[in-house]
Amino acid sequence: MKVSSSRTPKSARRRVVAGAGALALGAGILVTGVLAPAAQAAGSVTFKDLVLGVGANETQRYVTWYASAGTDSTVQLEKTADLNAGAFDEDVMSYNASVTPTTGSSGGDIARSPYRGSALLDTLEANTSYTYQVLASDGSTSASYTFKTGSFGLGSGFEFAAFGDPQLGADSNNNSQSTSADLKEDAAGWADTLNVLQADASDDALPLELLTSTGDQIETANVESQWDAWFTPDQLRTLPYAAAIGNHDSSDLGYKYHFSLPNNDTTTANLQTTAGGDYWYVYKGVLFVVINSNAQSSTKDPAHMAFVTQAVKANPGAKWRVVSYHHALYSPASHANDSDNVARRQPYTQAFSELGINLVLQGHDHSYSRSYVLQNKGAGPDRQNAAEAQGANNVLEGPGGVIYVTTNSASGSKYYPLTEPISGTSDATHSGKYPAGTMPWAPGPGGNHTLHWANSVENQDNVRTYLKVAVTNDKLSVTNVVAGVCDYPNKFTTQHVGTFCGASQTTTTLADTNGNGTFDRNQGASGAPGQPTNATADKYTATTGVAPVGTAQDTVNITKWDGTQGDGQLIALDVPPANPGELGWFINGGNHLINLGTANRHGNYFTASGAIDPLTVTDSRTFGDTSWSLSAQVSDFKDGNATLLGKYVGWVPSILSAGGGANAGATVSNGYSSGTGLADSRTLASAANGHAPGSAQVGANLNLKFPVSVSNDGAHNFWGEITYTLM
Ligand SMILES: [Fe+2]
């Protein structure tokens, strides 16, 4: 429900100042972005599980919390720069909150708070730091937190994160107990992942502005001690979080109470489980649609797709479209061929292709996968470009092309080993269309792992990861980042769930460091309080094959055809006045992506090389002027605001298959030393008037040479265009 905001009346404003008097604390605390709660709050209401949520767009945020009483409350908001010695003053704005009763006791050892509160902060200004707190009418206050708005609109871009299955309390022996060592370990992993993300993003070129999930925040939907543990990290109060509903969240009202969601359908029966339905929001020109995939059947699947369709139609100007939900259609582990996932594949993938969805974020399988660009034209999902190389870091989405990513565990609470495609089914080779590839990383010691046909990358290193997505006008850069190593907090190795950890995927016998002849979990028995006692337990000691925290496990840069690129060919074709016969041409293979890989450094310059996709020119004209010339020009390469000049590209054209009187164009030197390289239009091939009819295949090897100063400000992923013109 949208709650109107209003300036606080003067009397109330004074009360705010009085109530916040105890908040006039040391400036040192302010530096952390979190103000301590009032030591002597005027009232008796207590608050917990406070979370910042996304609004309908970047000008809004939701604040949601649990309260011990139903006392009328507001959210106090003030520009941080306007605070008076850290305290709210007459510049504070007061947003009315909706405080409603919950269903009370929920099971577990900590009962659900009897009330939940929610307020929508709107009319935010761009590039502004705000401080906020909950204030009840009896003077009770929550702690205060700060958040920053970024620029409005996509501008130079932003980053968001996606978390898979934190599932706090997973596989606990006694998961209803807040004192459970398992829950503490999972919570420690979750908190550490958020810290790692924050540190990782702090020096990125683009600001981290948004946290998203693919579901399963906790293990047991109605166990509030798990929710309490999940809400512990303060990043959940300084960055907006957009949660999806996992199967472990789905069966109780806890999720619905804990999150306030924009454009949320809570009534269409086919979208609902107890936890809620589907919702969408737009953040800086990117449409995010979040589906409750727990509602699944042959009638519910189309209902979800109708919801996505409505969201897409309501936002025709969205630059990118991202869909999130829990149950991965294409994952690499134990859920890869669950019958419900198989059932979702046709309706989901066809709708996503038809609606121009660019990126789909999924969870549930506690492992990582990234699909090839997939397209479903109605006859079933398939690779859009059969030539897309396994693990390619740069991919191009043609119309209808979609990338599906499955997120691994963000907390270390549980991992699933990779599974092999099911022999004899389309899961193995997609009905024989694709040869079975092999994985560089095996799920167990020694063996090769065959990828599922849809997946370009599959990974299970049994370490925590998160997904970081950098969004710019030109591309989505999706990176799966290592957030933890094998040691605590990581249930896989600390509890000896498996026998290996890390990218080397070699067998490791976990160390019997306490010398009692057996491997002991490095935690006490279920229900034991406190952190693991490593003094009396074993410890994972391997240091080889473990990728350091912050390592990019996988990166894919996604660019796409946009409206200005017409029917999906990065080419221009000028048709001359008609002559008798036909003159035409096409790019062989239909890949349309020239991937030059990574440039090589030589002293003060870089080089790179590659080849254009061959072009076939057919000329069956027999009279009139039959001359033709196929030329090409390279644009400047772009990466955000960085530019690599097109003149640094040179080429050596060649006739790969002779015919039609075709002659190769002249070699053009790159413009590193002098000249304009391919920045000016150059002839790839031509034929003279009067040539014999026929066709030729022409190609060219490209070479780049450019100064190292191009990357003085850091790594770049440049994209350019080569435009062909046939005259
Ligand atoms: Fe799940």
Side-chain angles (χ1 to χ4, degrees), residues 159-163 189-204 208-212 235-236 239 241 464-469 479 481-484 549-550:
E159 289 183 342
F160 71 93
F163 303 112
W190 170 234
D192 190 60
T193 293
L194 286 163
N195 289 336
V196 168
L197 166 66
Q198 192 170 35
D200 163 27
S202 65
D203 59 356
D204 288 352
L208 173 69
E209 298 191 16
L210 173 64
L211 309 177
T212 72
Q235 288 89 350
L236 301 173
L239 288 165
Y241 187 91
R464 286 180 277 126
T465 64
Y466 57 84
L467 207 67
K468 191 169 70 169
V469 182
T479 304
V481 184
V482 173
V549 167

Side-chain angles (χ1 to χ4, degrees), residues 165 167 214-216 218 245-249 294 326-327 335 363-366 414 416:
D165 301 83
Q167 206 168 323
T214 55
D216 278 357
I218 61 167
I245 302 173
N247 54 307
H248 289 265
D249 310 311
N294 298 279
H326 188 59
H327 298 80
H335 289 304
H364 193 48
D365 218 7
H366 300 245
K414 182 161 63 168
Y416 292 144

Side-chain angles (χ1 to χ4, degrees), residues 185 412 415 462-463 485-494 501:
E185 175 165 4
Y415 308 98
N462 298 306
V463 294
V485 293
C486 303
D487 257 330
Y488 181 91
N490 183 350
K491 200 172 283 180
F492 189 83
T493 45
T494 58
C501 179

Side-chain angles (χ1 to χ4, degrees), residues 389-476:
Q390 179 188 323
N393 296 119
N394 296 307
V395 300
L396 193 60
E397 289 182 346
V402 185
I403 295 273
Y404 297 78
V405 174
T406 308
T407 49
N408 205 335
S409 170
S411 71
S413 67
K414 182 161 63 168
Y415 308 98
Y416 292 144
L418 304 184
T419 57
E420 300 305 307
I422 302 170
S423 178
T425 72
S426 66
D427 180 46
T429 62
H430 192 28
S431 303
K433 278 187 175 175
Y434 304 102
T438 54
M439 278 280 288
W441 310 129
N448 283 325
H449 165 71
T450 303
L451 274 69
H452 300 76
W453 71 266
N455 290 335
S456 176
V457 176
E458 299 183 353
N459 179 283
Q460 182 55 281
D461 287 350
N462 298 306
V463 294
R464 286 180 277 126
T465 64
Y466 57 84
L467 207 67
K468 191 169 70 169
V469 182
V471 184
T472 63
N473 198 51
D474 301 325
K475 64 183 180 242
L476 298 175

